[in-house]
Amino acid sequence: MLSSSRLLLSRTAAVRSNTLLLRSKTTGRPSMGVLVGDAGPFATHVYHVMNTFLIGAAPIYFILPAPKAGEGYSTVSAVFDKVFGALLSITLAGHSWVGMNYVCTDYVPKISKSLVGPSRYLNAGMGIITLVGMGAIVFNDRGGIKGCLLSLWNRGEKQQKEEEVAVTIKKE
């Protein structure tokens, strides 16, 4: 029977060898290449850099004033909004892809080890859809990500006009 410290060291060595050789932790076979976003020290480092960027950049992005709808690229704030929004969308898509790969590594094998590969393909698809969808929001002409989020609380022009008409009718 191994002592607890030897057992811990043997498990750590096994995890390190799987990670450094890019071998699957579940099957021991070589990994699926690019689809394995959570394997290796480089991937972990990039994931932590993305976390740090999102923690600092997202609040700054949302504090700055939003460009007016229909402004295009005519002002500095509109250009900054597009560039910074593109950086945020790329980082958010990458962050979700790597994070969900960690979920695949940790929890999918508990259900079935044969589902790890398909779940990685599903995660890659979700990451691409996230990137394309957020890119479409960033480069639309309605205020980018901030405009999209603000539209959840702003009423449409038609509703505002109807309310103004209702208020003037009540006053008369």
Side-chain angles (χ1 to χ4, degrees):
M1 186 166 163
L2 292 172
S3 69
S4 61
S5 61
R6 286 184 87 191
L7 182 63
L8 179 63
L9 287 175
S10 66
R11 284 184 183 173
T12 305
V15 169
R16 282 189 180 158
S17 67
N18 284 343
T19 303
L20 293 175
L21 296 175
L22 293 177
R23 293 191 174 277
S24 171
K25 293 178 187 176
T26 56
T27 63
R29 294 187 305 231
S31 70
M32 302 173 68
V34 176
L35 287 176
V36 183
D38 61 338
F42 179 72
T44 303
H45 175 71
V46 170
Y47 185 67
H48 290 294
V49 169
M50 285 190 287
N51 288 342
T52 305
F53 176 76
L54 288 172
I55 288 170
I60 292 170
Y61 175 73
F62 288 113
I63 287 172
L64 295 174
K68 307 250 187 302
E71 236 178 25
Y73 297 103
S74 62
T75 63
V76 173
S77 69
V79 171
F80 178 78
D81 187 69
K82 302 283 186 204
V83 170
F84 214 72
L87 282 173
L88 276 177
S89 63
I90 290 167
T91 306
L92 281 169
H95 174 78
S96 67
W97 172 62
V98 174
M100 288 305 294
N101 270 308
Y102 280 119
V103 171
C104 284
T105 300
D106 292 340
Y107 298 108
V108 172
K110 293 178 182 178
I111 297 170
S112 172
K113 290 183 181 183
S114 64
L115 290 176
V116 173
S119 67
R120 292 196 188 276
Y121 282 104
L122 181 67
N123 286 337
M126 286 189 325
I128 290 169
I129 290 170
T130 302
L131 180 62
V132 170
M134 289 193 70
I137 290 171
V138 166
F139 293 108
N140 72 17
D141 208 22
R142 297 185 186 114
I145 295 173
K146 283 187 262 188
C148 179
L149 291 175
L150 289 173
S151 70
L152 295 173
W153 287 276
N154 292 341
R155 295 185 204 121
E157 292 177 22
K158 186 177 178 182
Q159 280 183 324
Q160 286 178 344
K161 287 180 183 178
E162 288 174 0
E163 288 177 3
E164 289 173 3
V165 170
V167 168
T168 55
I169 291 173
K170 285 182 182 179
K171 286 182 181 178
E172 294 175 357

